[in-house]
Amino acid sequence: MVERYRAGDISLKDVQTFNLDEYCELPRSHEQSYYRFMQDNLFQHVDLRPENVHIPCTEDCDPQIQCDEYNRLLNSATVDLQLLGIGSNGHIGFCEPGTSFDQETFLTTLREETRLDNQRFFNSLDEVPHSAITMGIANILRARSILLIASGKGKAKCIADMVNGPITRQVPASALRLHEDVTVIVDEDAASLL
């Protein structure tokens, strides 16, 4: 997108973005915050207007108030495309196994397996946050189109469970089978159990 913007092929000045989630316990300036990631890799390189960028804020504000405000923003907009990854335990966003498909934006406690998976981005497991604000599955399923991308052998089981297993809260990504416009892109390793 940055290359296309620089080439003059696209403009993002009228686009609104809604990030899927954000860690709690990290300031926005932290190198592993999603706010910082988006700033460093997209927002500062294109013509997105700051008022059109929406990321759950976790600094100096009551998490429930933030969740309610994010839901209000999401419910007043139309999300044309929801981009997702998938956790090794089948989570989408930070909707861990057991999350209701009716859940909207909420404060979630990250499971130990999620924290272990994300440890590679931090110096130690002790630095990995224990909680996050995340869109709920209900928010995700309201998008017009959904794109899920996964790679690596570590994603093979959750991809197989999502595609071929039962639709269940124990595999949150299985809820995507209830949506009429989902595209899943996987490499050979992630598709190895299909």
Side-chain angles (χ1 to χ4, degrees):
M1 289 179 74
V2 172
E3 289 176 16
R4 291 191 62 201
Y5 168 74
R6 288 180 178 158
D9 296 335
I10 62 170
S11 170
L12 301 177
K13 68 181 175 64
D14 294 323
V15 170
Q16 286 196 69
T17 68
F18 293 89
N19 260 53
L20 187 61
D21 47 31
E22 179 62 281
Y23 287 119
C24 295
E25 306 154 54
L26 294 183
R28 284 186 158 194
S29 59
H30 191 283
E31 61 186 7
Q32 293 305 323
S33 77
Y34 296 128
Y35 176 88
R36 170 91 179 266
F37 179 88
M38 295 302 293
Q39 289 295 330
D40 291 351
N41 292 285
L42 179 61
F43 299 155
Q44 71 179 351
H45 303 288
V46 297
D47 60 346
L48 264 166
R49 292 190 293 235
E51 64 269 22
N52 288 346
V53 171
H54 307 288
I55 300 175
C57 173
T58 57
E59 295 181 276
D60 303 324
C61 188
D62 180 274
Q64 188 57 55
I65 292 171
Q66 293 177 64
C67 292
D68 293 344
E69 176 61 13
Y70 212 62
N71 265 334
R72 187 192 67 71
L73 288 169
L74 285 167
N75 290 330
S76 67
T78 298
V79 176
D80 292 308
L81 177 65
Q82 179 68 62
L83 177 61
L84 299 173
I86 186 170
S88 62
N89 63 6
H91 73 246
I92 49 176
F94 278 128
C95 298
E96 298 282 16
T99 301
S100 169
F101 293 174
D102 295 328
Q103 181 69 56
E104 291 189 319
T105 305
F106 67 109
L107 176 66
T108 184
T109 299
L110 303 180
R111 289 196 172 195
E112 197 66 11
E113 61 198 310
T114 298
R115 294 183 67 244
L116 286 167
D117 286 348
N118 290 344
Q119 179 180 347
R120 69 187 186 274
F121 302 116
F122 295 84
N123 293 321
S124 70
L125 183 61
D126 291 338
E127 293 183 13
V128 181
H130 291 84
S131 60
I133 291 178
T134 185
M135 282 187 197
I137 294 172
N139 302 108
I140 292 167
L141 292 178
R142 286 188 199 113
R144 288 184 178 169
S145 297
I146 298 172
L147 172 62
L148 184 142
I149 301 172
S151 62
K153 284 230 181 265
K155 302 296 174 106
K157 183 176 182 331
C158 61
I159 290 294
D161 289 346
M162 176 187 75
V163 172
N164 294 321
I167 298 174
T168 173
R169 291 168 39 158
Q170 296 315 306
V171 181
S174 67
L176 300 178
R177 291 176 29 213
L178 302 172
H179 196 281
E180 62 186 36
D181 187 5
V182 176
T183 301
V184 177
I185 300 174
V186 293
D187 66 6
E188 287 185 18
D189 286 340
S192 63
L193 297 179
L194 291 176

